[in-house]
């Protein structure tokens, strides 16, 4: 992908320039020979494996490696508006740009009602139609958060986050997309506040598929050369039309591990 115009540009020159050139480099975060600092290195896949959230890091949450059906391949995503692709990528738990290494975990939180599951047939027989409906929705009160770490060389992480911030504003009114062969319409990208890491973006992304409305919480923060991405969904909340919050405890646990 082409980085956004607001992304920082790394200027490298073989010979010295004037004072103004040096000031421009400092303002843009340019490295090069003048800075005396080597370009930042991406973390390896092995390093990310040690830093991603693991079972026991978040109380009352199950954390596991995602299965085949939990993840999408980059080629499975298509977006009608090319400029909106970065939002669609992180919504689908896919990276922006080309990270040098990545790792993912599926984080699941079940409510007390969901843990109990559906009532027995005998119990259901004694319920009204409305009570059966409510019990069924209660059994689906499960929040699933795909948590991703993507590590980039040099200024890649900062550029990717800047691209996301601009794209979220440009595509706030929505766009059509297809993921894993399923067409859906993003109807709104609503900006949220998130104070974590060195920089962050967060949204509520509203979607419509086959007449059914959906809502996904999306957040991405940067720590050094690594981006941490979160795409979170709760079927019960969406079915009831209720708002649900960003998976704050998961985000904070991941931020703590990245330091």
């Amino acid at each position: 992908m082409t980085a956004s115009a607001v992304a920082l540009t790394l200027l490298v020159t073989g010979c010295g320039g004037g004072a103004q050139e040096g000031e421009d480099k400092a303002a843009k975060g340019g490295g090069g020979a003048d800075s005396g600092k080597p370009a930042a290195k991406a973390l390896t896949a092995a390093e990310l494996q040690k830093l991603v959230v693991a079972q026991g890091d978040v109380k009352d949450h199950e954390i596991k490696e995602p299965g085949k059906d939990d993840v999408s391949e980059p080629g499975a995503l298509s977006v009608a508006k090319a400029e909106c692709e970065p939002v669609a990528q992180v919504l689908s738990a896919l990276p922006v740009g080309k990270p040098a290494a990545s790792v993912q975990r599926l984080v699941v939180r079940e409510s007390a009602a969901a843990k109990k599951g559906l009532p027995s047939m005998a119990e259901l027989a004694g319920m009204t139609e409305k009570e059966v409906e409510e019990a069924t929705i209660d059994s689906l009160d499960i929040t699933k958060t795909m948590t991703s770490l993507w590590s980039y060389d040099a200024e890649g992480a900062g550029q990717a986050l800047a691209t996301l911030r601009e794209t979220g504003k440009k595509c706030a009114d929505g766009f059509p997309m297809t993921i894993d062969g399923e067409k859906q319409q993003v109807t709104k990208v609503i900006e949220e506040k998130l104070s974590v890491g060195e920089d962050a973006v967060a949204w509520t992304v509203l979607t419509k598929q086959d007449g059914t409305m959906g809502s996904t919480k999306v957040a991405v923060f940067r720590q050094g050369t690594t981006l941490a991405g979160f795409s979170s969904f709760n079927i019960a909340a969406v079915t009831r039309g209720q708002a649900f919050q960003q998976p704050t405890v998961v985000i904070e646990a991941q931020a703590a591990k990245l330091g």
Side-chain angles (χ1 to χ4, degrees):
M1 288 185 56
T2 301
S4 158
V6 299
L8 298 178
T9 304
L10 187 63
L11 299 179
V12 180
T13 58
C15 57
Q20 184 60 48
E21 180 185 359
E23 290 172 7
D24 289 343
K25 282 187 178 182
K28 294 183 180 181
D34 291 343
S35 70
K37 296 180 180 178
K41 294 284 188 181
L43 298 178
T44 65
E47 289 172 320
L48 292 181
Q49 290 284 358
K50 295 177 182 178
L51 292 171
V52 71
V53 287
Q55 184 63 29
D57 287 338
V58 189
K59 185 179 180 182
D60 296 328
H61 288 63
E62 179 188 10
I63 302 177
K64 58 186 179 181
E65 291 194 31
K68 266 190 189 177
D69 295 337
D70 298 316
V71 296
S72 301
E73 295 296 326
L77 172 69
S78 63
V79 184
K81 294 182 179 178
E83 65 270 26
C84 298
E85 187 174 22
V87 173
Q89 286 172 321
V90 293
L91 171 65
S92 307
L94 295 171
V96 175
K98 295 182 179 179
S102 63
V103 66
Q104 290 185 308
R105 292 292 183 269
L106 180 61
V107 184
V108 181
R109 182 188 181 279
E110 295 184 74
S111 69
K115 287 179 180 178
K116 289 191 333 188
L118 280 170
S120 66
M121 293 301 294
E123 291 171 319
L124 289 171
M127 293 181 177
T128 65
E129 185 176 338
K130 181 64 175 176
E131 288 172 334
V132 170
E133 180 183 344
E134 285 299 313
T136 301
I137 296 174
D138 283 344
S139 71
L140 299 174
D141 189 6
I142 303 169
T143 301
K144 294 186 177 182
T145 303
M146 186 61 75
T147 300
S148 310
L149 294 184
W150 305 302
S151 195
Y152 301 76
D153 284 316
E155 301 294 329
Q159 291 173 347
L161 196 62
T163 296
L164 282 170
R165 177 171 286 110
E166 183 181 3
T167 303
K169 293 174 181 177
K170 282 184 177 179
C171 301
D173 291 330
F175 53 89
M177 61 176 280
T178 301
I179 183 71
D180 295 324
E182 299 288 336
K183 293 183 178 181
Q184 59 182 287
Q185 175 73 36
V186 172
T187 60
K188 207 76 176 172
V189 180
I190 304 168
E191 186 178 0
E192 296 187 356
K193 298 296 182 184
L194 181 66
S195 298
V196 65
E198 296 175 27
D199 195 7
V201 294
W203 310 297
T204 293
V205 180
L206 304 181
T207 57
K208 186 176 182 180
Q209 183 175 355
D210 296 330
T212 301
M213 303 302 295
S215 176
T216 304
K217 295 291 185 178
V218 178
V220 182
F221 74 82
R222 181 181 68 82
Q223 189 68 44
T225 60
T226 300
L227 293 184
F230 309 85
S231 183
S232 187
F233 187 81
N234 182 294
I235 295 176
V238 171
T239 303
R240 290 192 171 109
Q242 296 175 337
F244 67 100
Q245 303 302 310
Q246 289 280 359
T248 308
V249 292
V250 180
I251 294 172
E252 289 178 348
Q254 184 59 80
K257 293 196 77 168
L258 285 174

